[in-house]
């Protein structure tokens, strides 16, 4: 069988099937369809290509899996099933969901750290590596791709992986789709989507509102979202794509984590500190971008992208921050950000080569105020912060001999931080300063085609992860300026794996990896409202990832994934709470995860149903491994109908999460200084929804 390589533009890289997509996509295919091929992905090589032929671990979740079975609000609904990926849901929209890949990002205190997030090519975070998956509009998503391993370093400052969401194209006929979903804890989502094609123009727009009282006391939230994409294909072969995204989350309440004793007493309570300080968060984000793609002859393509946006955040924390050297208990920032990139690609029979440059920048005006029992008080912080990242990269593929292909890439990244302190009063010193980091990150991989149905691969690479602005803000001992002694973490990655097509409609992937990291960043001190960080030494992450997807007779689709991850500190060090021994487990990282799904569709009646199960290993909550969230097994059930009549399509569905009523911890707060480690998950959750699509025209 020949290569499955595809050179279609990203907009045409439709979600086919892969271990990350098969449980939904396979079940929809009527009998007699050709065998399903692996997914066409873009993130791995920046060029549409079959995942089967790549020397790296990459999976994609398709639109049906994202939309049919859940709220279309949180990435935990879709990504937690993938091997090597863990998504923790803290049951509060005041905190971003925590996404970790092969253990990277599990220690993040706020949002996502150590994993690159992209929405239609636009970063969903700052250049320092801090981001949030809440910007992803799942109601209009075509697919989500997750890249793991060393080739993710070709995207710049991060270590663990890349998570990228792609907005769907509009349908061939203009179609209007309203939808509504209702669920437990007074949760509701109302959405409206419209899209279509008009000659050379294709467009899609989606708006939605989600609100909830929350599972726990003091966890109510509202999330309004808009996402749109317009593509124009010019007569000369060039194409313009414009995207816009807006998010508004006003006054989302934060119940904080619970101690073990509090959780045993009442798992649905808010932490008393949350009520005392009225902890909450308001977030607004608006961004827009443009992409121009133009062929240059028969072999070359040029792609240019530019984007800009604004972000405003106000968060009430669980302390007053009244001390003279504190940054306050109310954190506020207003951010303006922008970026641009230029990429050239050449494709020949023997070689594909891509070279490019990119730049991203964020300018923050950051202030802090005393939290006077939920009321904004006196000023305690006033500064201007700027961080930018610039990079140049080259990536290519060659086929030196029959059955062999070699992929390689190299990136140079430079990240600079600048802070100008405007609050210099009394004992509060001038914390102005600058810091810069730069590094080369190479990656190389090889694929050997054993047969038309089996590929073996291996790769090696290097990545680096700078501190975030939050981690650089203060120096130990009360010294002024940024923490210049804090070094970036540098990781060496090695991976090997197999990808195999099984029978006519199955795919099996397996990967083993070994990652050594030096200068891991951890909390050093936490005194008077100022947290400082230090480099802890070395860590090691070793693991095995498996995934299998297949369509069985009778329109039954099955999916199974498993991850074993051994993530440990290689060196002993003294942390914020005392000595940490070499060999201790990294907190926030489950030792194993297993996900299993089975789905069935009855085409004549439009009925579909499925069951899901997830088994999650124990998760340590601190560096010293003094406490842990227990392992758990949960099962979920979903079912629905679809009817079609002329221009109409009607869908109804129902979902029950945690069928067995297990009491488990859905997320942990790593190294919380007050022992508030645990975010309990609901014992049961129900969801019912309906959508109606009407296609205009003939």
């Amino acid at each position: 069988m020949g290569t499955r390589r595809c050179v279609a533009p990203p907009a045409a890289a439709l979600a086919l099937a892969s271990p990350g997509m098969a449980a939904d996509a396979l079940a929809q295919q009527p009998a007699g369809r050709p065998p399903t091929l692996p997914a066409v992905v873009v993130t791995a090589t920046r060029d549409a290509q079959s995942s089967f032929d790549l020397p790296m671990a990459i999976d994609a979740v398709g639109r049906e899996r994202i939309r049919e079975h859940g709220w279309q609000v949180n990435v935990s609904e879709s990504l937690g099933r993938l091997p090597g990926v863990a998504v923790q849901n803290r049951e509060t929209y005041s905190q971003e969901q925590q996404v970790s890949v092969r253990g990277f990002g599990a220690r993040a205190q706020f949002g996502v750290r150590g994993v690159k997030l992209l929405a239609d090519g636009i970063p969903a975070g700052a250049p320092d590596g801090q981001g949030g998956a809440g910007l992803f509009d799942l109601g209009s998503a075509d697919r989500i791709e997750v890249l793991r391993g060393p080739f993710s370093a070709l995207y710049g400052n991060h270590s663990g992986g890349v998570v990228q969401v792609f907005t769907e194209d509009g349908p061939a006929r203009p179609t209007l789709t309203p939808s509504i979903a209702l669920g437990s804890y007074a949760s509701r989502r109302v959405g409206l989507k419209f899209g279509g094609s008009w000659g050379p123009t294709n467009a899609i727009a989606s708006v939605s509102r989600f609100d909830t009282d929350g599972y726990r006391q003091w966890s109510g939230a509202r999330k309004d979202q808009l996402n749109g994409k317009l593509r124009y294909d010019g007569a000369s072969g060039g194409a313009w794509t414009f995207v816009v995204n807006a998010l508004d989350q006003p006054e989302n309440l934060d119940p904080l984590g619970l101690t073990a004793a509090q959780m045993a007493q009442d798992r649905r309570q808010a932490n008393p500190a949350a009520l005392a300080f009225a902890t909450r968060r308001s977030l607004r984000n608006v961004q827009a971008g443009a992409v121009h793609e133009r062929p240059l002859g028969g072999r070359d393509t040029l792609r240019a992208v530019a984007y800009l946006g604004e972000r405003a955040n106000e968060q009430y924390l669980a302390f007053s921050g009244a001390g003279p050297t504190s940054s306050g208990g109310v954190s506020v920032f207003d951010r303006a950000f922008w970026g641009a990139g230029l990429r050239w690609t050449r494709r020949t029979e023997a070689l594909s080569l891509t070279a490019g440059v990119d730049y991203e920048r964020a300018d923050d005006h950051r202030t802090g105020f005393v939290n006077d029992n939920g009321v904004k008080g006196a000023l305690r912080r006033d500064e201007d912060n700027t961080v930018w990242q610039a990079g140049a990269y080259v990536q290519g593929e060659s086929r030196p001999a029959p059955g062999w292909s070699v992929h390689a890439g190299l990136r140079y990244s430079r990240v600079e931080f600048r802070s100008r302190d405007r609050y210099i009063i009394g004992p509060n010193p001038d914390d102005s300063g600058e810091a810069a980091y730069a590094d080369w990150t190479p990656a190389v991989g090889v694929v050997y085609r054993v047969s038309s149905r089996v590929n073996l691969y291996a790769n090696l690479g290097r990545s680096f992860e700078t501190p975030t602005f939050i981690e650089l803000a203060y120096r130990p001992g009360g010294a002024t300026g940024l923490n210049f002694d804090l070094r970036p973490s540098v990781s060496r990655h090695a991976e090997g794996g197999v990808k195999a097509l099984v029978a006519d409609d199955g795919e099996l992937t397996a990967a083993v990896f070994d990652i050594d990291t030096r200068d891991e960043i951890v909390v050093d001190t936490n005194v008077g409202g100022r947290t400082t960080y230090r480099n802890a030494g070395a860590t090691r992450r070793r693991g095995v990832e498996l995934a299998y997807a297949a369509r069985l007779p009778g329109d039954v689709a099955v999916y199974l994934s498993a991850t074993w991850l051994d993530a440990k500190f290689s060196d002993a060090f003294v942390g914020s709470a005392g000595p940490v021994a070499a060999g201790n487990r990294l907190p926030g990282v489950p030792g194993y995860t297993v996900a299993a799904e089975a789905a069935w569709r009855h085409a004549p009646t439009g009925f579909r149903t499925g069951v899901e199960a997830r088994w999650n290993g124990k998760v340590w909550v601190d560096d010293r491994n003094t406490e842990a969230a227990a392992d758990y097994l949960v099962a979920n059930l979903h079912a629905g109908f679809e009817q079609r009549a002329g221009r109409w399509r009607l869908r109804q569905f129902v979902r029950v999460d945690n069928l067995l009523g297990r009491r488990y911890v859905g997320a942990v707060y790593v190294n919380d200084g007050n022992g508030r480690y645990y975010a309990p998950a609901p014992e049961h959750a129900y969801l019912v929804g309906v959508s109606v699509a009407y296609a205009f025209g003939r």
Side-chain angles (χ1 to χ4, degrees):
M1 181 170 61
T3 179
R4 290 183 180 82
R5 192 168 183 279
C6 173
V7 295
L14 300 178
L16 299 178
S18 74
M21 302 163 70
D24 54 295
L26 288 174
Q28 299 175 64
Q29 296 181 348
R33 284 281 301 273
T36 301
L37 299 180
V40 174
V41 293
V42 175
T43 303
T45 60
R46 294 183 170 90
D47 181 25
Q49 191 163 351
S50 168
S51 62
F52 186 79
D53 297 321
L54 298 174
M56 60 200 76
I58 181 168
D59 290 296
V61 180
R63 68 174 73 178
E64 296 297 331
R65 183 60 178 83
I66 295 170
R67 297 183 205 164
E68 280 196 353
H69 306 150
W71 285 106
Q72 306 172 51
V73 174
N74 298 315
V75 294
S76 57
E77 301 170 34
S78 305
L79 296 188
R81 66 202 293 266
L82 299 182
V85 180
V87 185
Q88 296 199 65
N89 187 348
R90 292 168 172 163
E91 300 299 329
T92 169
Y93 290 86
S94 182
Q95 300 280 350
E96 295 279 3
Q97 292 201 318
Q98 186 185 67
V99 180
S100 64
V101 176
R102 292 182 173 174
F104 290 100
R107 301 163 60 87
Q109 298 297 317
F110 301 96
V112 177
R113 182 193 186 282
V115 178
K116 188 76 170 182
L117 303 177
L118 298 166
D120 292 312
I122 297 176
D128 63 352
Q130 191 84 33
L135 294 178
F136 292 168
D137 180 56
L138 303 182
S140 59
D142 178 69
R143 67 192 189 282
I144 305 174
E145 296 181 6
V146 180
L147 171 64
R148 311 184 295 281
F151 278 86
S152 63
L154 300 181
Y155 281 84
N157 172 30
H158 61 287
S159 292
V162 179
V163 179
Q164 183 164 197
V165 62
F166 295 88
T167 297
E168 65 179 321
D169 291 331
R173 296 168 61 182
T175 303
L176 181 69
T177 308
S179 61
I180 185 170
L182 304 172
S184 301
Y185 318 114
S187 301
R188 176 184 61 182
R189 181 185 183 275
V190 179
L192 181 67
K193 184 166 61 176
F194 178 74
S197 297
W198 298 267
T201 302
N202 180 280
I204 190 80
S206 172
V207 294
S208 64
R209 166 168 289 187
F210 172 81
D211 49 44
T212 181
D213 287 349
Y215 165 67
R216 294 173 57 197
Q217 179 190 18
W218 195 259
S219 61
R222 194 186 92 197
K223 180 178 181 180
D224 297 331
Q225 198 151 20
L226 177 148
N227 189 61
K229 184 179 79 170
L230 184 148
R231 179 180 174 93
Y232 175 77
D233 294 305
S236 62
W240 286 92
T241 302
F242 302 92
V243 294
V244 62
N245 182 285
L247 171 70
D248 185 22
Q249 296 184 204
E251 297 289 322
N252 286 358
L253 307 181
D254 187 359
L256 303 177
L258 299 176
T259 66
Q262 289 170 337
M263 189 170 61
Q265 178 191 52
D266 179 6
R267 59 189 290 110
R268 295 188 63 176
Q269 69 174 309
N271 193 288
L275 304 179
F277 292 100
T279 51
R280 61 195 188 274
R281 180 197 190 199
S282 295
L283 170 65
R284 295 191 311 275
N285 192 94
V286 179
Q287 60 192 44
V291 179
H292 181 53
E293 297 174 288
R294 175 169 294 277
L296 304 175
R299 296 181 175 179
D300 301 319
T301 303
L302 193 66
R303 183 181 188 273
V305 60
Y307 63 90
L308 54 83
E310 293 181 342
R311 185 177 180 93
N313 185 89
E314 181 179 79
Q315 188 155 15
Y316 285 70
L317 305 172
F319 55 87
S320 70
T325 61
S326 172
S327 295
V330 182
S331 176
V332 182
F333 71 79
D334 292 289
R335 173 178 299 162
F337 59 92
W338 64 276
L342 185 66
R343 186 170 80 219
W344 163 79
T345 301
R346 164 162 285 194
R347 306 179 185 93
T348 67
E349 290 297 323
L351 177 69
S352 294
L353 184 65
T354 296
V357 293
D358 53 44
Y359 178 88
E360 51 184 297
R361 179 187 178 106
D363 295 292
D364 292 359
H365 179 218
R366 188 176 291 270
T367 53
F369 303 86
V370 172
N371 184 346
D372 187 7
N373 299 113
V375 178
K376 187 186 297 184
L379 183 69
R380 286 293 183 268
R381 183 179 191 178
D382 186 3
E383 64 193 41
D384 293 326
N385 295 330
T386 297
V387 57
W388 60 262
Q389 177 178 194
Y393 58 88
V394 61
Q395 187 171 356
E397 173 196 358
S398 67
R399 290 170 288 279
W404 291 87
S405 65
V406 178
H407 296 249
L410 178 66
R411 180 184 174 99
Y412 175 78
S413 297
R414 181 175 178 84
V415 186
E416 289 198 6
F417 299 82
R418 298 175 185 172
S419 180
R420 181 184 178 188
D421 193 355
R422 300 178 180 274
Y423 186 77
I424 309 169
I425 299 175
N428 195 83
D430 185 355
D431 290 315
S432 300
E434 299 181 1
Y437 306 94
D439 208 344
W440 294 89
T441 51
V444 61
V446 60
V447 177
Y448 173 63
R449 184 177 292 274
V450 178
S451 70
S452 62
R453 307 185 67 84
V454 179
N455 279 349
L456 301 178
Y457 75 90
N459 62 53
L460 292 170
R462 185 173 182 270
S463 66
F464 89 119
E465 181 181 358
T466 72
T468 65
F469 235 127
I470 293 174
E471 295 163 344
L472 283 171
Y474 305 116
R475 299 176 68 183
T480 63
L482 299 183
N483 189 356
F484 299 109
D485 294 330
L486 199 58
R487 300 179 299 277
S489 300
V490 178
S491 300
R492 186 234 5 118
H493 303 250
E495 178 185 334
V498 58
K499 301 180 182 183
L501 302 178
V502 182
D504 289 334
D505 294 297
E507 185 181 0
L508 172 70
T509 63
V512 296
F513 60 87
D514 186 283
I515 306 169
D516 289 310
T517 302
R518 69 173 188 266
D519 292 329
E520 192 85 36
I521 298 172
V522 299
V523 173
D524 185 23
T525 62
N526 191 347
V527 180
R530 290 194 174 204
T531 302
T532 64
Y533 294 81
R534 58 164 293 183
N535 296 102
T539 60
R540 187 176 188 183
R541 297 167 173 87
R542 297 178 296 172
V544 179
E545 299 166 351
L546 299 170
Y548 173 71
R551 187 181 69 200
L552 305 179
D555 284 330
V556 175
V558 294
Y559 173 77
L560 175 68
S561 72
T563 303
W564 172 77
L565 178 58
D566 183 31
K568 295 180 178 179
F569 291 105
S570 300
D571 297 332
F573 66 97
V574 178
S576 59
V580 177
N584 274 17
R585 302 272 183 171
L586 266 64
V589 181
Y592 60 85
T593 58
V594 179
E597 300 176 8
W600 174 66
R601 178 182 294 266
H602 186 243
T605 61
F607 177 72
R608 64 189 186 281
T609 188
V611 62
E612 308 161 0
R614 181 174 177 83
W615 185 20
N616 209 75
K618 180 169 66 175
V619 177
W620 295 100
V621 299
D622 63 346
D623 293 338
R624 296 189 301 151
N625 291 176
T626 60
E627 292 187 40
D631 64 334
Y632 62 84
L633 173 65
V634 294
N636 312 313
L637 176 69
H638 61 84
F641 279 96
E642 178 178 326
Q643 301 88 34
R644 295 175 181 263
R647 300 177 180 180
W648 296 88
R649 185 182 66 187
L650 179 65
R651 288 183 173 181
Q652 314 90 31
F653 70 92
V654 61
R655 180 181 180 88
V656 182
D657 286 325
N658 197 0
L659 274 171
L660 305 178
R662 301 295 191 192
R663 292 193 165 196
Y664 69 99
V665 173
V668 299
Y669 294 80
V670 171
N671 286 326
D672 185 89
N674 298 291
R676 302 185 296 234
Y677 299 123
Y678 305 102
E683 294 93 328
H684 294 287
Y686 307 92
L687 168 65
V688 295
V690 62
S691 67
V692 181
Y694 178 77
F696 297 85
R698 294 184 298 174

